[in-house]
Amino acid sequence: MRTVELGRTGEQVSHLALGAMLMGTSTGEAESFEILDRYTTAGGNFVDTANCYAWWPRPGDTGGESESLLGRWFARTGKRDEIFLATKGSGWVGNAEEVRAGKADLWSSFEGAGGDTLRRALDDSLRRLGTDHVDLYYVHVDDLSTPLEETLSALASIVAAGKARYIGWSNVRTWRLERIRQLALANGWPVPVAVQQQHSYLRADPYSDRDFSIVSAEQLDYVRRHDDLSLVAYSPMLKGLYDVPAKRAAEYGRGSYGGPENDARLAAVDKLAAELGATPGQVVLAWLLAQTAPCLIPLIGPRLLSHYEAAIPALDLELTPEHLEFLDNA
């Protein structure tokens, strides 16, 4: 598995990151451990989780299950020092049952990025993970109601205390990224080294109500011009949209990714996959891995071992310049 530098930190992380969102809930412990074992045996070292993973799969799930499972895996394998570990705060939902039942709004239920909130959240994460630090700590959902000065000052204290080595942001607008950067530089606080956003081969509707979470052309340009900031692309497979025909017509996919341009892009992926003897999802993942402007890190979150096994061949799928041009021009 190839590695890339995270921002300009000097840290070499796997070009393919592994998301543990559903580990400990939808993905049982034995299967989660098998995925983690296979990923690390293949040379993978970039593992991603969050304190709120995952409160939604089953009644009684509250969040923290993924971090707790990773803590047990670290204890079993002794591999904590081999892993570049990322977790997140600000997205914890304390009223999960009410949100699940539709009695409370999700977006107003997030714990937010207040200073005390983040410090407490990370301490709780470290306890579940069984470690004294994480390598990368994200603000999971950008919090417009808390002054950025408060959030950045708290993150600076977290880094100074050695509880996180680097910081990042997720689900954030481009103008906010620039404001974060300027405030951090002006005050001598750590500058984010990673932005984690949803990004795939299909192009999202720029007027979608999820535009703050999905990479836009403007945001790609911003990351391209700031090479100290890596783009970590979550949901690159759009929950199986490319490989499962029924999902192409589902609200999740068509709600943000409909329209004639994406019909053409899906047709191009299908055509190239047939020519290469690959799946459409593998072609998309190979396309993402081939991007250089900016270089980005796809983050897969397999629910099943079979999903992981279906994705890994993309690492060996070499797309020629002609293949890339065909996909880019669809």
Side-chain angles (χ1 to χ4, degrees), residues 197-244:
Q197 298 282 94
Q198 183 170 305
H199 184 53
S200 189
Y201 172 65
L202 297 189
R203 292 177 174 170
D205 175 3
Y207 299 104
S208 165
D209 61 2
R210 297 189 63 218
D211 66 336
F212 69 97
S213 295
I214 301 174
V215 172
S216 63
E218 176 192 44
Q219 199 160 73
L220 276 177
D221 184 61
Y222 185 85
V223 178
R224 189 179 299 119
R225 293 172 184 274
H226 295 86
D227 64 358
D228 60 338
L229 184 67
S230 287
L231 172 59
V232 179
Y234 77 77
S235 291
M237 315 311 294
L238 299 179
K239 296 186 177 180
L241 180 148
Y242 296 103
D243 291 334
V244 183

mmCIF file of all heavy atoms in Angstrom, residues 197-244:
data_model
loop_
_atom_site.group_PDB
_atom_site.id
_atom_site.type_symbol
_atom_site.label_atom_id
_atom_site.label_comp_id
_atom_site.label_asym_id
_atom_site.label_seq_id
_atom_site.Cartn_x
_atom_site.Cartn_y
_atom_site.Cartn_z
ATOM 1 N N GLN A 197 -14.007 15.760 4.018
ATOM 2 C CA GLN A 197 -15.253 16.106 3.358
ATOM 3 C C GLN A 197 -15.704 14.938 2.486
ATOM 4 O O GLN A 197 -14.890 14.106 2.067
ATOM 5 C CB GLN A 197 -15.071 17.337 2.463
ATOM 6 C CG GLN A 197 -14.655 18.602 3.195
ATOM 7 C CD GLN A 197 -15.807 19.271 3.900
ATOM 8 O OE1 GLN A 197 -16.041 19.026 5.084
ATOM 9 N NE2 GLN A 197 -16.536 20.114 3.199
ATOM 10 N N GLN A 198 -16.994 14.903 2.195
ATOM 11 C CA GLN A 198 -17.475 13.887 1.258
ATOM 12 C C GLN A 198 -17.023 14.241 -0.151
ATOM 13 O O GLN A 198 -17.162 15.376 -0.599
ATOM 14 C CB GLN A 198 -18.998 13.796 1.294
ATOM 15 C CG GLN A 198 -19.547 12.700 0.375
ATOM 16 C CD GLN A 198 -21.024 12.466 0.594
ATOM 17 O OE1 GLN A 198 -21.456 12.200 1.712
ATOM 18 N NE2 GLN A 198 -21.800 12.572 -0.461
ATOM 19 N N HIS A 199 -16.454 13.248 -0.848
ATOM 20 C CA HIS A 199 -15.947 13.507 -2.193
ATOM 21 C C HIS A 199 -15.898 12.200 -2.969
ATOM 22 O O HIS A 199 -15.466 11.172 -2.447
ATOM 23 C CB HIS A 199 -14.552 14.127 -2.140
ATOM 24 C CG HIS A 199 -14.006 14.515 -3.483
ATOM 25 N ND1 HIS A 199 -14.699 15.323 -4.367
ATOM 26 C CD2 HIS A 199 -12.841 14.204 -4.090
ATOM 27 C CE1 HIS A 199 -13.971 15.493 -5.463
ATOM 28 N NE2 HIS A 199 -12.841 14.826 -5.320
ATOM 29 N N SER A 200 -16.353 12.252 -4.207
ATOM 30 C CA SER A 200 -16.356 11.073 -5.060
ATOM 31 C C SER A 200 -16.207 11.514 -6.511
ATOM 32 O O SER A 200 -15.929 12.690 -6.800
ATOM 33 C CB SER A 200 -17.658 10.279 -4.846
ATOM 34 O OG SER A 200 -17.584 9.036 -5.522
ATOM 35 N N TYR A 201 -16.396 10.568 -7.426
ATOM 36 C CA TYR A 201 -16.277 10.871 -8.857
ATOM 37 C C TYR A 201 -17.475 11.661 -9.364
ATOM 38 O O TYR A 201 -17.341 12.556 -10.190
ATOM 39 C CB TYR A 201 -16.131 9.560 -9.635
ATOM 40 C CG TYR A 201 -16.197 9.724 -11.142
ATOM 41 C CD1 TYR A 201 -15.218 10.426 -11.833
ATOM 42 C CD2 TYR A 201 -17.248 9.153 -11.865
ATOM 43 C CE1 TYR A 201 -15.284 10.574 -13.210
ATOM 44 C CE2 TYR A 201 -17.321 9.286 -13.242
ATOM 45 C CZ TYR A 201 -16.334 9.999 -13.902
ATOM 46 O OH TYR A 201 -16.402 10.148 -15.263
ATOM 47 N N LEU A 202 -18.664 11.346 -8.880
ATOM 48 C CA LEU A 202 -19.838 12.115 -9.274
ATOM 49 C C LEU A 202 -19.743 13.526 -8.705
ATOM 50 O O LEU A 202 -19.143 13.757 -7.665
ATOM 51 C CB LEU A 202 -21.116 11.437 -8.785
ATOM 52 C CG LEU A 202 -21.423 10.046 -9.332
ATOM 53 C CD1 LEU A 202 -22.822 9.610 -8.921
ATOM 54 C CD2 LEU A 202 -21.283 9.988 -10.851
ATOM 55 N N ARG A 203 -20.368 14.459 -9.415
ATOM 56 C CA ARG A 203 -20.338 15.854 -8.981
ATOM 57 C C ARG A 203 -21.659 16.216 -8.327
ATOM 58 O O ARG A 203 -22.722 16.054 -8.918
ATOM 59 C CB ARG A 203 -20.069 16.764 -10.187
ATOM 60 C CG ARG A 203 -18.655 16.585 -10.728
ATOM 61 C CD ARG A 203 -18.400 17.427 -11.950
ATOM 62 N NE ARG A 203 -17.006 17.335 -12.365
ATOM 63 C CZ ARG A 203 -16.538 17.814 -13.513
ATOM 64 N NH1 ARG A 203 -17.365 18.405 -14.356
ATOM 65 N NH2 ARG A 203 -15.264 17.697 -13.817
ATOM 66 N N ALA A 204 -21.559 16.731 -7.119
ATOM 67 C CA ALA A 204 -22.769 17.023 -6.354
ATOM 68 C C ALA A 204 -23.442 18.301 -6.844
ATOM 69 O O ALA A 204 -22.794 19.216 -7.370
ATOM 70 C CB ALA A 204 -22.428 17.163 -4.879
ATOM 71 N N ASP A 205 -24.743 18.355 -6.655
ATOM 72 C CA ASP A 205 -25.518 19.550 -6.926
ATOM 73 C C ASP A 205 -24.999 20.677 -6.028
ATOM 74 O O ASP A 205 -25.025 20.567 -4.808
ATOM 75 C CB ASP A 205 -26.992 19.258 -6.617
ATOM 76 C CG ASP A 205 -27.880 20.478 -6.743
ATOM 77 O OD1 ASP A 205 -27.380 21.551 -7.130
ATOM 78 O OD2 ASP A 205 -29.084 20.353 -6.459
ATOM 79 N N PRO A 206 -24.512 21.783 -6.615
ATOM 80 C CA PRO A 206 -23.947 22.852 -5.784
ATOM 81 C C PRO A 206 -24.978 23.521 -4.886
ATOM 82 O O PRO A 206 -24.617 24.237 -3.948
ATOM 83 C CB PRO A 206 -23.371 23.836 -6.798
ATOM 84 C CG PRO A 206 -24.141 23.582 -8.053
ATOM 85 C CD PRO A 206 -24.438 22.109 -8.043
ATOM 86 N N TYR A 207 -26.263 23.297 -5.166
ATOM 87 C CA TYR A 207 -27.319 23.907 -4.356
ATOM 88 C C TYR A 207 -27.932 22.908 -3.373
ATOM 89 O O TYR A 207 -28.957 23.193 -2.760
ATOM 90 C CB TYR A 207 -28.397 24.491 -5.255
ATOM 91 C CG TYR A 207 -27.853 25.569 -6.161
ATOM 92 C CD1 TYR A 207 -27.611 25.311 -7.506
ATOM 93 C CD2 TYR A 207 -27.537 26.829 -5.665
ATOM 94 C CE1 TYR A 207 -27.088 26.293 -8.333
ATOM 95 C CE2 TYR A 207 -27.017 27.805 -6.483
ATOM 96 C CZ TYR A 207 -26.786 27.544 -7.819
ATOM 97 O OH TYR A 207 -26.263 28.510 -8.634
ATOM 98 N N SER A 208 -27.298 21.750 -3.226
ATOM 99 C CA SER A 208 -27.775 20.772 -2.259
ATOM 100 C C SER A 208 -27.688 21.354 -0.858
ATOM 101 O O SER A 208 -26.800 22.146 -0.530
ATOM 102 C CB SER A 208 -26.929 19.500 -2.345
ATOM 103 O OG SER A 208 -27.133 18.681 -1.221
ATOM 104 N N ASP A 209 -28.621 20.940 0.013
ATOM 105 C CA ASP A 209 -28.574 21.427 1.391
ATOM 106 C C ASP A 209 -27.423 20.799 2.170
ATOM 107 O O ASP A 209 -27.216 21.115 3.334
ATOM 108 C CB ASP A 209 -29.907 21.185 2.113
ATOM 109 C CG ASP A 209 -30.277 19.710 2.209
ATOM 110 O OD1 ASP A 209 -29.487 18.860 1.749
ATOM 111 O OD2 ASP A 209 -31.371 19.404 2.727
ATOM 112 N N ARG A 210 -26.656 19.924 1.522
ATOM 113 C CA ARG A 210 -25.482 19.327 2.167
ATOM 114 C C ARG A 210 -24.198 19.897 1.572
ATOM 115 O O ARG A 210 -23.136 19.308 1.691
ATOM 116 C CB ARG A 210 -25.502 17.800 2.006
ATOM 117 C CG ARG A 210 -26.699 17.135 2.679
ATOM 118 C CD ARG A 210 -26.566 15.627 2.682
ATOM 119 N NE ARG A 210 -25.399 15.226 3.457
ATOM 120 C CZ ARG A 210 -24.598 14.212 3.125
ATOM 121 N NH1 ARG A 210 -24.821 13.511 2.035
ATOM 122 N NH2 ARG A 210 -23.584 13.881 3.877
ATOM 123 N N ASP A 211 -24.284 21.079 0.933
ATOM 124 C CA ASP A 211 -23.119 21.587 0.224
ATOM 125 C C ASP A 211 -21.935 21.865 1.139
ATOM 126 O O ASP A 211 -20.796 21.868 0.693
ATOM 127 C CB ASP A 211 -23.474 22.844 -0.573
ATOM 128 C CG ASP A 211 -23.843 24.024 0.325
ATOM 129 O OD1 ASP A 211 -24.265 23.784 1.465
ATOM 130 O OD2 ASP A 211 -23.713 25.164 -0.135
ATOM 131 N N PHE A 212 -22.172 22.079 2.442
ATOM 132 C CA PHE A 212 -21.057 22.327 3.354
ATOM 133 C C PHE A 212 -20.272 21.055 3.651
ATOM 134 O O PHE A 212 -19.142 21.118 4.130
ATOM 135 C CB PHE A 212 -21.566 22.944 4.658
ATOM 136 C CG PHE A 212 -22.364 22.001 5.504
ATOM 137 C CD1 PHE A 212 -21.771 21.319 6.543
ATOM 138 C CD2 PHE A 212 -23.707 21.784 5.247
ATOM 139 C CE1 PHE A 212 -22.512 20.443 7.326
ATOM 140 C CE2 PHE A 212 -24.449 20.914 6.031
ATOM 141 C CZ PHE A 212 -23.855 20.240 7.063
ATOM 142 N N SER A 213 -20.865 19.887 3.391
ATOM 143 C CA SER A 213 -20.205 18.616 3.678
ATOM 144 C C SER A 213 -19.552 17.996 2.449
ATOM 145 O O SER A 213 -18.712 17.116 2.577
ATOM 146 C CB SER A 213 -21.224 17.606 4.239
ATOM 147 O OG SER A 213 -21.728 18.031 5.475
ATOM 148 N N ILE A 214 -19.962 18.430 1.267
ATOM 149 C CA ILE A 214 -19.491 17.825 0.023
ATOM 150 C C ILE A 214 -18.508 18.769 -0.658
ATOM 151 O O ILE A 214 -18.759 19.973 -0.763
ATOM 152 C CB ILE A 214 -20.674 17.511 -0.912
ATOM 153 C CG1 ILE A 214 -21.648 16.547 -0.216
ATOM 154 C CG2 ILE A 214 -20.186 16.901 -2.219
ATOM 155 C CD1 ILE A 214 -22.926 16.285 -0.998
ATOM 156 N N VAL A 215 -17.402 18.244 -1.121
ATOM 157 C CA VAL A 215 -16.374 19.057 -1.753
ATOM 158 C C VAL A 215 -16.926 19.724 -3.014
ATOM 159 O O VAL A 215 -17.510 19.070 -3.872
ATOM 160 C CB VAL A 215 -15.147 18.195 -2.104
ATOM 161 C CG1 VAL A 215 -14.153 18.980 -2.945
ATOM 162 C CG2 VAL A 215 -14.471 17.704 -0.836
ATOM 163 N N SER A 216 -16.726 21.017 -3.106
ATOM 164 C CA SER A 216 -17.110 21.783 -4.289
ATOM 165 C C SER A 216 -15.868 22.065 -5.122
ATOM 166 O O SER A 216 -14.730 21.842 -4.684
ATOM 167 C CB SER A 216 -17.741 23.110 -3.861
ATOM 168 O OG SER A 216 -16.783 23.902 -3.164
ATOM 169 N N ALA A 217 -16.084 22.592 -6.319
ATOM 170 C CA ALA A 217 -14.945 22.981 -7.159
ATOM 171 C C ALA A 217 -14.116 24.052 -6.455
ATOM 172 O O ALA A 217 -12.879 24.050 -6.519
ATOM 173 C CB ALA A 217 -15.449 23.488 -8.509
ATOM 174 N N GLU A 218 -14.784 24.954 -5.756
ATOM 175 C CA GLU A 218 -14.076 26.002 -5.020
ATOM 176 C C GLU A 218 -13.201 25.395 -3.929
ATOM 177 O O GLU A 218 -12.050 25.802 -3.739
ATOM 178 C CB GLU A 218 -15.078 26.970 -4.407
ATOM 179 C CG GLU A 218 -14.424 28.053 -3.545
ATOM 180 C CD GLU A 218 -15.425 28.823 -2.715
ATOM 181 O OE1 GLU A 218 -16.325 28.186 -2.123
ATOM 182 O OE2 GLU A 218 -15.288 30.050 -2.640
ATOM 183 N N GLN A 219 -13.747 24.407 -3.207
ATOM 184 C CA GLN A 219 -12.974 23.805 -2.132
ATOM 185 C C GLN A 219 -11.793 22.997 -2.660
ATOM 186 O O GLN A 219 -10.708 22.999 -2.066
ATOM 187 C CB GLN A 219 -13.879 22.934 -1.258
ATOM 188 C CG GLN A 219 -13.308 22.643 0.113
ATOM 189 C CD GLN A 219 -14.377 22.218 1.088
ATOM 190 O OE1 GLN A 219 -14.873 21.101 0.997
ATOM 191 N NE2 GLN A 219 -14.739 23.093 2.014
ATOM 192 N N LEU A 220 -11.996 22.315 -3.783
ATOM 193 C CA LEU A 220 -10.869 21.619 -4.405
ATOM 194 C C LEU A 220 -9.763 22.610 -4.755
ATOM 195 O O LEU A 220 -8.577 22.344 -4.547
ATOM 196 C CB LEU A 220 -11.331 20.893 -5.671
ATOM 197 C CG LEU A 220 -11.946 19.510 -5.516
ATOM 198 C CD1 LEU A 220 -12.397 18.992 -6.870
ATOM 199 C CD2 LEU A 220 -10.974 18.529 -4.875
ATOM 200 N N ASP A 221 -10.146 23.756 -5.291
ATOM 201 C CA ASP A 221 -9.159 24.775 -5.646
ATOM 202 C C ASP A 221 -8.446 25.285 -4.394
ATOM 203 O O ASP A 221 -7.229 25.512 -4.410
ATOM 204 C CB ASP A 221 -9.842 25.929 -6.381
ATOM 205 C CG ASP A 221 -8.846 26.969 -6.857
ATOM 206 O OD1 ASP A 221 -7.963 26.618 -7.661
ATOM 207 O OD2 ASP A 221 -8.945 28.134 -6.422
ATOM 208 N N TYR A 222 -9.197 25.440 -3.305
ATOM 209 C CA TYR A 222 -8.594 25.921 -2.054
ATOM 210 C C TYR A 222 -7.542 24.936 -1.561
ATOM 211 O O TYR A 222 -6.429 25.334 -1.185
ATOM 212 C CB TYR A 222 -9.678 26.108 -0.994
ATOM 213 C CG TYR A 222 -9.171 26.709 0.290
ATOM 214 C CD1 TYR A 222 -9.067 28.087 0.439
ATOM 215 C CD2 TYR A 222 -8.768 25.892 1.352
ATOM 216 C CE1 TYR A 222 -8.590 28.646 1.615
ATOM 217 C CE2 TYR A 222 -8.286 26.445 2.533
ATOM 218 C CZ TYR A 222 -8.194 27.820 2.655
ATOM 219 O OH TYR A 222 -7.707 28.365 3.814
ATOM 220 N N VAL A 223 -7.879 23.652 -1.537
ATOM 221 C CA VAL A 223 -6.915 22.650 -1.068
ATOM 222 C C VAL A 223 -5.732 22.570 -2.018
ATOM 223 O O VAL A 223 -4.577 22.393 -1.588
ATOM 224 C CB VAL A 223 -7.599 21.275 -0.908
ATOM 225 C CG1 VAL A 223 -6.598 20.220 -0.472
ATOM 226 C CG2 VAL A 223 -8.742 21.361 0.097
ATOM 227 N N ARG A 224 -5.986 22.718 -3.296
ATOM 228 C CA ARG A 224 -4.906 22.690 -4.281
ATOM 229 C C ARG A 224 -3.895 23.806 -4.016
ATOM 230 O O ARG A 224 -2.685 23.640 -4.205
ATOM 231 C CB ARG A 224 -5.512 22.831 -5.680
ATOM 232 C CG ARG A 224 -4.552 22.617 -6.835
ATOM 233 C CD ARG A 224 -5.285 22.758 -8.161
ATOM 234 N NE ARG A 224 -6.360 21.782 -8.309
ATOM 235 C CZ ARG A 224 -7.640 22.097 -8.465
ATOM 236 N NH1 ARG A 224 -8.023 23.369 -8.492
ATOM 237 N NH2 ARG A 224 -8.544 21.155 -8.601
ATOM 238 N N ARG A 225 -4.390 24.952 -3.578
ATOM 239 C CA ARG A 225 -3.527 26.115 -3.362
ATOM 240 C C ARG A 225 -2.916 26.143 -1.960
ATOM 241 O O ARG A 225 -2.096 27.025 -1.662
ATOM 242 C CB ARG A 225 -4.312 27.399 -3.616
ATOM 243 C CG ARG A 225 -4.720 27.562 -5.077
ATOM 244 C CD ARG A 225 -5.660 28.737 -5.271
ATOM 245 N NE ARG A 225 -6.119 28.822 -6.652
ATOM 246 C CZ ARG A 225 -5.474 29.437 -7.633
ATOM 247 N NH1 ARG A 225 -4.312 30.038 -7.379
ATOM 248 N NH2 ARG A 225 -5.959 29.467 -8.853
ATOM 249 N N HIS A 226 -3.304 25.217 -1.097
ATOM 250 C CA HIS A 226 -2.760 25.146 0.259
ATOM 251 C C HIS A 226 -2.275 23.716 0.491
ATOM 252 O O HIS A 226 -2.993 22.881 1.035
ATOM 253 C CB HIS A 226 -3.816 25.535 1.298
ATOM 254 C CG HIS A 226 -4.256 26.960 1.197
ATOM 255 N ND1 HIS A 226 -5.262 27.371 0.343
ATOM 256 C CD2 HIS A 226 -3.819 28.088 1.827
ATOM 257 C CE1 HIS A 226 -5.436 28.677 0.464
ATOM 258 N NE2 HIS A 226 -4.571 29.135 1.347
ATOM 259 N N ASP A 227 -1.051 23.441 0.069
ATOM 260 C CA ASP A 227 -0.579 22.063 0.101
ATOM 261 C C ASP A 227 -0.191 21.599 1.510
ATOM 262 O O ASP A 227 0.247 20.466 1.685
ATOM 263 C CB ASP A 227 0.576 21.842 -0.875
ATOM 264 C CG ASP A 227 1.817 22.651 -0.525
ATOM 265 O OD1 ASP A 227 1.785 23.425 0.458
ATOM 266 O OD2 ASP A 227 2.828 22.517 -1.240
ATOM 267 N N ASP A 228 -0.371 22.472 2.504
ATOM 268 C CA ASP A 228 -0.200 22.021 3.883
ATOM 269 C C ASP A 228 -1.482 21.424 4.437
ATOM 270 O O ASP A 228 -1.535 21.018 5.602
ATOM 271 C CB ASP A 228 0.263 23.176 4.774
ATOM 272 C CG ASP A 228 -0.729 24.333 4.810
ATOM 273 O OD1 ASP A 228 -1.539 24.458 3.870
ATOM 274 O OD2 ASP A 228 -0.681 25.132 5.774
ATOM 275 N N LEU A 229 -2.526 21.347 3.586
ATOM 276 C CA LEU A 229 -3.836 20.841 3.989
ATOM 277 C C LEU A 229 -4.208 19.663 3.095
ATOM 278 O O LEU A 229 -4.353 19.829 1.882
ATOM 279 C CB LEU A 229 -4.872 21.956 3.847
ATOM 280 C CG LEU A 229 -6.296 21.677 4.301
ATOM 281 C CD1 LEU A 229 -6.368 21.479 5.808
ATOM 282 C CD2 LEU A 229 -7.218 22.824 3.878
ATOM 283 N N SER A 230 -4.349 18.480 3.668
ATOM 284 C CA SER A 230 -4.733 17.299 2.894
ATOM 285 C C SER A 230 -6.245 17.144 2.889
ATOM 286 O O SER A 230 -6.915 17.408 3.893
ATOM 287 C CB SER A 230 -4.111 16.032 3.481
ATOM 288 O OG SER A 230 -2.734 15.976 3.220
ATOM 289 N N LEU A 231 -6.775 16.702 1.760
ATOM 290 C CA LEU A 231 -8.196 16.380 1.656
ATOM 291 C C LEU A 231 -8.375 14.889 1.914
ATOM 292 O O LEU A 231 -7.847 14.047 1.193
ATOM 293 C CB LEU A 231 -8.723 16.733 0.266
ATOM 294 C CG LEU A 231 -10.150 16.267 -0.057
ATOM 295 C CD1 LEU A 231 -11.151 16.856 0.927
ATOM 296 C CD2 LEU A 231 -10.519 16.627 -1.498
ATOM 297 N N VAL A 232 -9.110 14.573 2.976
ATOM 298 C CA VAL A 232 -9.478 13.193 3.278
ATOM 299 C C VAL A 232 -10.920 13.025 2.796
ATOM 300 O O VAL A 232 -11.832 13.670 3.314
ATOM 301 C CB VAL A 232 -9.347 12.887 4.778
ATOM 302 C CG1 VAL A 232 -9.756 11.443 5.066
ATOM 303 C CG2 VAL A 232 -7.908 13.134 5.237
ATOM 304 N N ALA A 233 -11.101 12.171 1.791
ATOM 305 C CA ALA A 233 -12.379 12.081 1.082
ATOM 306 C C ALA A 233 -13.221 10.949 1.650
ATOM 307 O O ALA A 233 -12.959 9.774 1.394
ATOM 308 C CB ALA A 233 -12.131 11.861 -0.410
ATOM 309 N N TYR A 234 -14.261 11.309 2.441
ATOM 310 C CA TYR A 234 -15.103 10.260 3.005
ATOM 311 C C TYR A 234 -16.255 9.925 2.061
ATOM 312 O O TYR A 234 -16.588 10.691 1.157
ATOM 313 C CB TYR A 234 -15.576 10.612 4.406
ATOM 314 C CG TYR A 234 -16.696 11.620 4.574
ATOM 315 C CD1 TYR A 234 -18.026 11.276 4.343
ATOM 316 C CD2 TYR A 234 -16.432 12.903 5.045
ATOM 317 C CE1 TYR A 234 -19.057 12.184 4.540
ATOM 318 C CE2 TYR A 234 -17.456 13.820 5.249
ATOM 319 C CZ TYR A 234 -18.769 13.454 4.998
ATOM 320 O OH TYR A 234 -19.779 14.358 5.202
ATOM 321 N N SER A 235 -16.820 8.738 2.257
ATOM 322 C CA SER A 235 -17.888 8.192 1.395
ATOM 323 C C SER A 235 -17.520 8.224 -0.084
ATOM 324 O O SER A 235 -18.325 8.625 -0.927
ATOM 325 C CB SER A 235 -19.203 8.958 1.610
ATOM 326 O OG SER A 235 -19.734 8.705 2.878
ATOM 327 N N PRO A 236 -16.309 7.799 -0.439
ATOM 328 C CA PRO A 236 -15.926 7.840 -1.856
ATOM 329 C C PRO A 236 -16.763 6.910 -2.721
ATOM 330 O O PRO A 236 -16.915 7.141 -3.926
ATOM 331 C CB PRO A 236 -14.454 7.403 -1.839
ATOM 332 C CG PRO A 236 -14.339 6.554 -0.609
ATOM 333 C CD PRO A 236 -15.242 7.202 0.394
ATOM 334 N N MET A 237 -17.345 5.858 -2.102
ATOM 335 C CA MET A 237 -18.144 4.907 -2.861
ATOM 336 C C MET A 237 -19.632 5.222 -2.801
ATOM 337 O O MET A 237 -20.452 4.499 -3.373
ATOM 338 C CB MET A 237 -17.915 3.477 -2.345
ATOM 339 C CG MET A 237 -16.452 3.127 -2.104
ATOM 340 S SD MET A 237 -15.394 3.554 -3.494
ATOM 341 C CE MET A 237 -16.004 2.435 -4.708
ATOM 342 N N LEU A 238 -19.986 6.320 -2.106
ATOM 343 C CA LEU A 238 -21.383 6.752 -1.998
ATOM 344 C C LEU A 238 -22.296 5.599 -1.575
ATOM 345 O O LEU A 238 -23.342 5.351 -2.173
ATOM 346 C CB LEU A 238 -21.849 7.376 -3.313
ATOM 347 C CG LEU A 238 -21.069 8.619 -3.754
ATOM 348 C CD1 LEU A 238 -21.600 9.133 -5.081
ATOM 349 C CD2 LEU A 238 -21.109 9.707 -2.692
ATOM 350 N N LYS A 239 -21.853 4.909 -0.530
ATOM 351 C CA LYS A 239 -22.635 3.818 0.066
ATOM 352 C C LYS A 239 -23.036 2.746 -0.947
ATOM 353 O O LYS A 239 -24.136 2.210 -0.899
ATOM 354 C CB LYS A 239 -23.869 4.386 0.764
ATOM 355 C CG LYS A 239 -23.539 5.283 1.946
ATOM 356 C CD LYS A 239 -24.784 5.703 2.706
ATOM 357 C CE LYS A 239 -24.402 6.528 3.919
ATOM 358 N NZ LYS A 239 -25.591 6.968 4.697
ATOM 359 N N GLY A 240 -22.121 2.428 -1.861
ATOM 360 C CA GLY A 240 -22.365 1.345 -2.812
ATOM 361 C C GLY A 240 -23.111 1.761 -4.060
ATOM 362 O O GLY A 240 -23.477 0.905 -4.874
ATOM 363 N N LEU A 241 -23.305 3.065 -4.261
ATOM 364 C CA LEU A 241 -24.080 3.539 -5.411
ATOM 365 C C LEU A 241 -23.538 3.016 -6.740
ATOM 366 O O LEU A 241 -24.304 2.641 -7.626
ATOM 367 C CB LEU A 241 -24.101 5.062 -5.409
ATOM 368 C CG LEU A 241 -24.846 5.791 -6.528
ATOM 369 C CD1 LEU A 241 -25.421 7.100 -5.994
ATOM 370 C CD2 LEU A 241 -23.932 6.099 -7.707
ATOM 371 N N TYR A 242 -22.214 2.985 -6.878
ATOM 372 C CA TYR A 242 -21.633 2.609 -8.173
ATOM 373 C C TYR A 242 -21.866 1.149 -8.525
ATOM 374 O O TYR A 242 -22.059 0.813 -9.687
ATOM 375 C CB TYR A 242 -20.125 2.902 -8.172
ATOM 376 C CG TYR A 242 -19.808 4.371 -8.025
ATOM 377 C CD1 TYR A 242 -19.376 4.884 -6.800
ATOM 378 C CD2 TYR A 242 -19.942 5.250 -9.093
ATOM 379 C CE1 TYR A 242 -19.082 6.229 -6.654
ATOM 380 C CE2 TYR A 242 -19.655 6.594 -8.951
ATOM 381 C CZ TYR A 242 -19.228 7.083 -7.734
ATOM 382 O OH TYR A 242 -18.948 8.424 -7.584
ATOM 383 N N ASP A 243 -21.872 0.279 -7.500
ATOM 384 C CA ASP A 243 -21.915 -1.158 -7.758
ATOM 385 C C ASP A 243 -23.281 -1.795 -7.566
ATOM 386 O O ASP A 243 -23.486 -2.940 -7.966
ATOM 387 C CB ASP A 243 -20.906 -1.876 -6.847
ATOM 388 C CG ASP A 243 -19.460 -1.573 -7.214
ATOM 389 O OD1 ASP A 243 -19.211 -1.244 -8.390
ATOM 390 O OD2 ASP A 243 -18.591 -1.653 -6.328
ATOM 391 N N VAL A 244 -24.202 -1.091 -6.948
ATOM 392 C CA VAL A 244 -25.530 -1.650 -6.666
ATOM 393 C C VAL A 244 -26.568 -0.848 -7.440
ATOM 394 O O VAL A 244 -26.890 0.279 -7.053
ATOM 395 C CB VAL A 244 -25.844 -1.622 -5.156
ATOM 396 C CG1 VAL A 244 -27.197 -2.267 -4.881
ATOM 397 C CG2 VAL A 244 -24.738 -2.319 -4.366
#
